[in-house]
Short mmCIF file of all heavy atoms in Angstrom, two decimals:
data_model
loop_
_atom_site.label_atom_id
_atom_site.label_comp_id
_atom_site.label_asym_id
_atom_site.label_seq_id
_atom_site.Cartn_x
_atom_site.Cartn_y
_atom_site.Cartn_z
N PHE A 58 0.32 11.73 18.72
CA PHE A 58 0.56 12.06 20.13
C PHE A 58 0.77 10.78 20.94
O PHE A 58 0.15 9.76 20.67
CB PHE A 58 -0.62 12.86 20.70
CG PHE A 58 -0.81 14.17 19.98
CD1 PHE A 58 -1.89 14.36 19.14
CD2 PHE A 58 0.13 15.18 20.12
CE1 PHE A 58 -2.05 15.55 18.45
CE2 PHE A 58 -0.01 16.37 19.43
CZ PHE A 58 -1.10 16.56 18.59
N VAL A 59 1.67 10.89 21.93
CA VAL A 59 1.98 9.74 22.78
C VAL A 59 1.58 10.07 24.21
O VAL A 59 2.11 11.02 24.80
CB VAL A 59 3.49 9.40 22.71
CG1 VAL A 59 3.79 8.20 23.62
CG2 VAL A 59 3.92 9.11 21.28
N ASN A 60 0.63 9.33 24.73
CA ASN A 60 0.15 9.51 26.09
C ASN A 60 1.00 8.61 27.00
O ASN A 60 0.84 7.39 27.00
CB ASN A 60 -1.33 9.13 26.15
CG ASN A 60 -1.96 9.42 27.49
OD1 ASN A 60 -1.26 9.58 28.49
ND2 ASN A 60 -3.28 9.47 27.52
N ALA A 61 1.90 9.22 27.76
CA ALA A 61 2.92 8.44 28.48
C ALA A 61 2.46 7.87 29.82
O ALA A 61 3.22 7.17 30.49
CB ALA A 61 4.17 9.29 28.69
N HIS A 62 1.23 8.18 30.21
CA HIS A 62 0.74 7.58 31.47
C HIS A 62 -0.79 7.63 31.53
O HIS A 62 -1.38 8.71 31.61
CB HIS A 62 1.31 8.30 32.69
CG HIS A 62 0.80 7.75 33.99
ND1 HIS A 62 1.19 6.53 34.49
CD2 HIS A 62 -0.10 8.24 34.88
CE1 HIS A 62 0.55 6.30 35.63
NE2 HIS A 62 -0.24 7.33 35.89
N THR A 63 -1.39 6.46 31.52
CA THR A 63 -2.84 6.45 31.72
C THR A 63 -3.29 5.11 32.30
O THR A 63 -2.48 4.19 32.48
CB THR A 63 -3.59 6.78 30.40
OG1 THR A 63 -4.98 6.94 30.69
CG2 THR A 63 -3.42 5.68 29.36
N HIS A 64 -4.57 5.06 32.64
CA HIS A 64 -5.21 3.83 33.12
C HIS A 64 -6.50 3.76 32.31
O HIS A 64 -7.54 4.27 32.74
CB HIS A 64 -5.48 3.90 34.62
CG HIS A 64 -4.31 4.40 35.42
ND1 HIS A 64 -3.25 3.59 35.74
CD2 HIS A 64 -4.01 5.62 35.93
CE1 HIS A 64 -2.36 4.31 36.43
NE2 HIS A 64 -2.80 5.54 36.55
N MET A 110 -9.18 8.24 22.45
CA MET A 110 -7.78 8.45 22.05
C MET A 110 -7.66 8.66 20.54
O MET A 110 -6.97 9.58 20.10
CB MET A 110 -6.94 7.24 22.46
CG MET A 110 -6.57 7.25 23.91
SD MET A 110 -5.39 5.94 24.25
CE MET A 110 -4.80 6.48 25.85
N THR A 115 -4.26 10.47 19.62
CA THR A 115 -3.22 9.67 20.28
C THR A 115 -2.98 8.40 19.48
O THR A 115 -3.92 7.70 19.10
CB THR A 115 -3.64 9.34 21.72
OG1 THR A 115 -3.62 10.53 22.49
CG2 THR A 115 -2.71 8.32 22.36
N ALA A 117 -0.12 6.27 20.42
CA ALA A 117 0.58 5.33 21.30
C ALA A 117 0.41 5.78 22.74
O ALA A 117 0.29 6.99 23.00
CB ALA A 117 2.06 5.26 20.95
N PHE A 118 0.40 4.81 23.66
CA PHE A 118 0.23 5.19 25.06
C PHE A 118 0.80 4.13 25.99
O PHE A 118 1.00 2.98 25.60
CB PHE A 118 -1.26 5.42 25.38
CG PHE A 118 -2.11 4.18 25.24
CD1 PHE A 118 -2.52 3.48 26.37
CD2 PHE A 118 -2.51 3.73 24.00
CE1 PHE A 118 -3.33 2.34 26.25
CE2 PHE A 118 -3.31 2.59 23.87
CZ PHE A 118 -3.71 1.90 25.00
N ALA A 119 1.09 4.56 27.23
CA ALA A 119 1.56 3.64 28.27
C ALA A 119 0.43 3.47 29.27
O ALA A 119 -0.06 4.46 29.82
CB ALA A 119 2.80 4.20 28.95
N HIS A 207 7.29 0.98 34.74
CA HIS A 207 6.36 2.11 34.65
C HIS A 207 5.71 2.26 36.01
O HIS A 207 5.09 1.32 36.50
CB HIS A 207 5.32 1.80 33.55
CG HIS A 207 4.26 2.86 33.40
ND1 HIS A 207 3.15 2.67 32.63
CD2 HIS A 207 4.16 4.11 33.90
CE1 HIS A 207 2.40 3.76 32.67
NE2 HIS A 207 2.99 4.65 33.43
N ILE A 243 9.58 4.71 33.29
CA ILE A 243 8.64 5.83 33.14
C ILE A 243 8.11 6.13 34.54
O ILE A 243 7.52 5.26 35.18
CB ILE A 243 7.43 5.48 32.25
CG1 ILE A 243 7.87 5.07 30.84
CG2 ILE A 243 6.47 6.67 32.17
CD1 ILE A 243 6.71 4.64 29.95
N ALA A 244 8.36 7.35 35.00
CA ALA A 244 7.90 7.75 36.33
C ALA A 244 6.82 8.82 36.17
O ALA A 244 7.09 9.93 35.74
CB ALA A 244 9.07 8.30 37.14
N ALA A 245 5.59 8.43 36.50
CA ALA A 245 4.48 9.37 36.36
C ALA A 245 4.49 10.40 37.49
O ALA A 245 4.79 10.06 38.63
CB ALA A 245 3.16 8.63 36.34
N HIS A 246 4.19 11.62 37.13
CA HIS A 246 4.00 12.77 38.03
C HIS A 246 5.28 13.54 38.37
O HIS A 246 5.51 14.60 37.83
CB HIS A 246 3.23 12.37 39.30
CG HIS A 246 1.90 11.76 39.00
ND1 HIS A 246 0.92 12.45 38.32
CD2 HIS A 246 1.39 10.51 39.20
CE1 HIS A 246 -0.13 11.68 38.14
NE2 HIS A 246 0.13 10.49 38.66
N VAL A 265 10.05 11.05 32.67
CA VAL A 265 8.96 11.51 33.53
C VAL A 265 7.70 11.66 32.69
O VAL A 265 7.74 12.23 31.60
CB VAL A 265 9.32 12.86 34.19
CG1 VAL A 265 8.10 13.48 34.87
CG2 VAL A 265 10.45 12.67 35.20
N ALA A 266 6.59 11.11 33.17
CA ALA A 266 5.30 11.34 32.51
C ALA A 266 4.57 12.41 33.31
O ALA A 266 4.00 12.15 34.38
CB ALA A 266 4.48 10.06 32.45
N HIS A 267 4.64 13.63 32.81
CA HIS A 267 4.02 14.78 33.46
C HIS A 267 2.51 14.72 33.19
O HIS A 267 2.10 14.61 32.04
CB HIS A 267 4.64 16.04 32.86
CG HIS A 267 3.98 17.31 33.26
ND1 HIS A 267 3.61 17.59 34.55
CD2 HIS A 267 3.65 18.42 32.53
CE1 HIS A 267 3.08 18.80 34.59
NE2 HIS A 267 3.07 19.32 33.38
N CYS A 268 1.70 14.78 34.27
CA CYS A 268 0.24 14.66 34.12
C CYS A 268 -0.43 15.90 34.70
O CYS A 268 -0.98 15.87 35.80
CB CYS A 268 -0.26 13.41 34.86
SG CYS A 268 0.50 11.89 34.27
N PRO A 269 -0.39 17.00 33.98
CA PRO A 269 -0.83 18.28 34.55
C PRO A 269 -2.29 18.32 35.02
O PRO A 269 -2.57 18.81 36.11
CB PRO A 269 -0.56 19.30 33.43
CG PRO A 269 -0.38 18.52 32.18
CD PRO A 269 0.12 17.17 32.60
N SER A 270 -3.22 17.79 34.23
CA SER A 270 -4.64 17.86 34.64
C SER A 270 -4.87 17.12 35.95
O SER A 270 -5.54 17.63 36.86
CB SER A 270 -5.55 17.25 33.58
OG SER A 270 -5.55 18.03 32.42
N SER A 271 -4.33 15.91 36.03
CA SER A 271 -4.50 15.09 37.22
C SER A 271 -3.89 15.78 38.43
O SER A 271 -4.48 15.80 39.51
CB SER A 271 -3.87 13.72 36.98
OG SER A 271 -3.90 12.94 38.14
N ASN A 272 -2.71 16.35 38.27
CA ASN A 272 -2.04 17.04 39.37
C ASN A 272 -2.84 18.24 39.85
O ASN A 272 -2.88 18.55 41.04
CB ASN A 272 -0.64 17.51 38.95
CG ASN A 272 0.30 16.37 38.61
OD1 ASN A 272 1.27 16.56 37.89
ND2 ASN A 272 0.01 15.17 39.09
N VAL A 282 8.40 21.28 35.65
CA VAL A 282 8.63 20.70 34.32
C VAL A 282 9.80 21.34 33.58
O VAL A 282 10.64 20.66 33.01
CB VAL A 282 7.33 20.81 33.49
CG1 VAL A 282 7.61 20.60 32.02
CG2 VAL A 282 6.34 19.77 33.97
N VAL A 292 11.07 14.57 29.59
CA VAL A 292 9.73 14.82 30.14
C VAL A 292 8.67 14.60 29.07
O VAL A 292 8.55 15.38 28.13
CB VAL A 292 9.60 16.24 30.72
CG1 VAL A 292 8.20 16.43 31.31
CG2 VAL A 292 10.66 16.50 31.78
N ALA A 293 7.91 13.52 29.23
CA ALA A 293 6.78 13.25 28.35
C ALA A 293 5.51 13.74 29.03
O ALA A 293 5.56 14.27 30.14
CB ALA A 293 6.71 11.75 28.06
N ILE A 294 4.37 13.57 28.34
CA ILE A 294 3.10 14.04 28.91
C ILE A 294 2.10 12.88 28.95
O ILE A 294 2.03 12.08 28.02
CB ILE A 294 2.53 15.20 28.07
CG1 ILE A 294 3.50 16.40 28.08
CG2 ILE A 294 1.15 15.64 28.59
CD1 ILE A 294 3.12 17.52 27.13
N GLY A 295 1.34 12.82 30.04
CA GLY A 295 0.30 11.79 30.16
C GLY A 295 -1.00 12.42 30.65
O GLY A 295 -0.99 13.50 31.25
N THR A 296 -2.10 11.73 30.40
CA THR A 296 -3.39 12.25 30.88
C THR A 296 -3.74 11.70 32.26
O THR A 296 -4.61 12.22 32.92
CB THR A 296 -4.54 11.85 29.94
OG1 THR A 296 -4.59 10.42 29.85
CG2 THR A 296 -4.35 12.45 28.55
N ASP A 297 -3.07 10.60 32.65
CA ASP A 297 -3.49 9.80 33.80
C ASP A 297 -4.88 9.24 33.47
O ASP A 297 -5.38 9.42 32.36
CB ASP A 297 -3.49 10.63 35.09
CG ASP A 297 -3.16 9.78 36.32
OD1 ASP A 297 -3.16 8.54 36.19
OD2 ASP A 297 -2.91 10.34 37.39
N GLY A 298 -5.51 8.54 34.39
CA GLY A 298 -6.81 7.94 34.09
C GLY A 298 -7.90 8.99 33.94
O GLY A 298 -7.78 10.11 34.45
N ALA A 299 -8.98 8.60 33.26
CA ALA A 299 -10.06 9.56 33.02
C ALA A 299 -10.86 9.90 34.27
O ALA A 299 -11.71 10.78 34.24
CB ALA A 299 -11.00 9.04 31.94
N SER A 301 -9.42 11.13 36.90
CA SER A 301 -8.75 12.28 37.52
C SER A 301 -8.31 13.30 36.48
O SER A 301 -7.33 14.00 36.64
CB SER A 301 -7.54 11.82 38.34
OG SER A 301 -6.58 11.20 37.52
N ASN A 302 -9.09 13.40 35.37
CA ASN A 302 -8.61 14.33 34.32
C ASN A 302 -9.67 15.32 33.80
O ASN A 302 -9.38 16.52 33.84
CB ASN A 302 -8.00 13.53 33.14
CG ASN A 302 -7.36 14.45 32.11
OD1 ASN A 302 -7.98 15.37 31.59
ND2 ASN A 302 -6.10 14.24 31.81
N THR A 304 -10.46 13.77 30.76
CA THR A 304 -10.41 13.36 29.36
C THR A 304 -9.10 12.65 29.08
O THR A 304 -8.20 12.63 29.91
CB THR A 304 -10.50 14.57 28.39
OG1 THR A 304 -9.19 15.10 28.19
CG2 THR A 304 -11.39 15.67 28.94
N LEU A 305 -9.01 12.08 27.89
CA LEU A 305 -7.75 11.47 27.44
C LEU A 305 -7.19 12.28 26.27
O LEU A 305 -6.47 11.77 25.44
CB LEU A 305 -8.00 10.01 27.03
CG LEU A 305 -8.64 9.12 28.10
CD1 LEU A 305 -9.00 7.75 27.52
CD2 LEU A 305 -7.69 8.93 29.28
N ASP A 306 -7.57 13.54 26.23
CA ASP A 306 -7.24 14.42 25.10
C ASP A 306 -5.82 14.99 25.26
O ASP A 306 -5.59 15.89 26.06
CB ASP A 306 -8.27 15.56 25.07
CG ASP A 306 -8.05 16.54 23.93
OD1 ASP A 306 -6.95 16.55 23.34
OD2 ASP A 306 -8.98 17.31 23.64
N MET A 307 -4.88 14.44 24.51
CA MET A 307 -3.48 14.86 24.62
C MET A 307 -3.23 16.28 24.10
O MET A 307 -2.25 16.91 24.47
CB MET A 307 -2.59 13.87 23.87
CG MET A 307 -2.22 12.65 24.68
SD MET A 307 -1.21 13.05 26.14
CE MET A 307 0.32 13.55 25.34
N VAL A 308 -4.11 16.76 23.22
CA VAL A 308 -3.91 18.12 22.71
C VAL A 308 -4.16 19.13 23.83
O VAL A 308 -3.40 20.07 24.06
CB VAL A 308 -4.80 18.40 21.48
CG1 VAL A 308 -4.51 19.78 20.92
CG2 VAL A 308 -4.58 17.34 20.41
N ARG A 309 -5.23 18.91 24.57
CA ARG A 309 -5.51 19.77 25.72
C ARG A 309 -4.42 19.63 26.79
O ARG A 309 -4.04 20.60 27.44
CB ARG A 309 -6.84 19.35 26.37
CG ARG A 309 -8.04 19.82 25.61
CD ARG A 309 -9.18 19.99 26.59
NE ARG A 309 -10.25 19.06 26.30
CZ ARG A 309 -11.35 18.95 27.05
NH1 ARG A 309 -11.48 19.68 28.14
NH2 ARG A 309 -12.29 18.11 26.72
N GLU A 310 -3.94 18.38 26.97
CA GLU A 310 -2.92 18.14 28.00
C GLU A 310 -1.62 18.86 27.66
O GLU A 310 -0.95 19.41 28.54
CB GLU A 310 -2.69 16.62 28.09
CG GLU A 310 -2.30 16.11 29.45
CD GLU A 310 -3.37 16.32 30.50
OE1 GLU A 310 -4.57 16.37 30.18
OE2 GLU A 310 -2.99 16.46 31.67
N MET A 311 -1.30 18.87 26.38
CA MET A 311 -0.08 19.55 25.91
C MET A 311 -0.18 21.06 26.19
O MET A 311 0.79 21.69 26.64
CB MET A 311 0.06 19.28 24.41
CG MET A 311 1.09 20.10 23.69
SD MET A 311 1.34 19.49 22.00
CE MET A 311 -0.22 19.94 21.21
N LEU A 313 -1.99 22.53 28.49
CA LEU A 313 -1.89 22.75 29.93
C LEU A 313 -0.45 22.60 30.41
O LEU A 313 0.01 23.37 31.26
CB LEU A 313 -2.81 21.76 30.64
CG LEU A 313 -3.10 22.02 32.11
CD1 LEU A 313 -3.64 23.41 32.33
CD2 LEU A 313 -4.09 20.99 32.64
N ALA A 314 0.26 21.63 29.85
CA ALA A 314 1.66 21.42 30.24
C ALA A 314 2.49 22.67 29.92
O ALA A 314 3.32 23.10 30.72
CB ALA A 314 2.24 20.20 29.52
N ALA A 333 6.75 21.93 23.93
CA ALA A 333 5.53 21.26 24.40
C ALA A 333 5.14 20.15 23.42
O ALA A 333 4.80 19.03 23.83
CB ALA A 333 4.40 22.27 24.54
N SER A 336 7.40 17.18 23.85
CA SER A 336 7.04 16.35 25.00
C SER A 336 5.82 15.49 24.70
O SER A 336 5.70 14.37 25.19
CB SER A 336 6.78 17.23 26.23
OG SER A 336 8.01 17.66 26.79
N ALA A 337 4.90 16.00 23.88
CA ALA A 337 3.67 15.25 23.57
C ALA A 337 3.89 14.20 22.47
O ALA A 337 3.01 13.38 22.23
CB ALA A 337 2.57 16.21 23.15
N THR A 338 5.05 14.25 21.81
CA THR A 338 5.30 13.29 20.70
C THR A 338 6.62 12.56 20.91
O THR A 338 6.63 11.46 21.47
CB THR A 338 5.31 14.05 19.35
OG1 THR A 338 6.28 15.11 19.39
CG2 THR A 338 3.94 14.63 19.03
N ARG A 340 9.30 12.90 22.90
CA ARG A 340 9.74 12.48 24.23
C ARG A 340 8.85 11.35 24.77
O ARG A 340 9.31 10.50 25.53
CB ARG A 340 9.75 13.67 25.19
CG ARG A 340 10.84 14.67 24.86
CD ARG A 340 10.89 15.81 25.87
NE ARG A 340 11.94 16.76 25.53
CZ ARG A 340 11.76 18.07 25.36
NH1 ARG A 340 10.56 18.59 25.52
NH2 ARG A 340 12.77 18.85 25.06
N GLY A 341 7.58 11.36 24.36
CA GLY A 341 6.69 10.26 24.74
C GLY A 341 7.14 8.97 24.06
O GLY A 341 7.17 7.90 24.69
N ALA A 344 10.04 7.69 25.88
CA ALA A 344 9.64 7.13 27.17
C ALA A 344 9.12 5.70 27.01
O ALA A 344 9.40 4.82 27.81
CB ALA A 344 8.56 8.01 27.81
N LEU A 345 8.37 5.47 25.93
CA LEU A 345 7.80 4.14 25.69
C LEU A 345 8.80 3.15 25.09
O LEU A 345 8.48 2.00 24.86
CB LEU A 345 6.57 4.25 24.77
CG LEU A 345 5.21 4.41 25.45
CD1 LEU A 345 5.13 5.68 26.27
CD2 LEU A 345 4.08 4.41 24.41
#
Side-chain angles (χ1 to χ4, degrees):
F58 298 109
V59 180
N60 186 341
H62 178 73
T63 188
H64 313 281
M110 281 189 164
T115 291
F118 64 102
H207 177 190
I243 301 176
H246 303 299
V265 169
H267 171 44
C268 302
S270 293
S271 174
N272 297 158
V282 164
V292 181
I294 298 172
T296 59
D297 212 348
S301 63
N302 186 306
T304 86
L305 304 173
D306 180 344
M307 276 295 291
V308 183
R309 283 208 245 177
E310 211 63 28
M311 169 171 69
L313 193 55
S336 283
T338 56
R340 290 183 180 126
L345 268 61

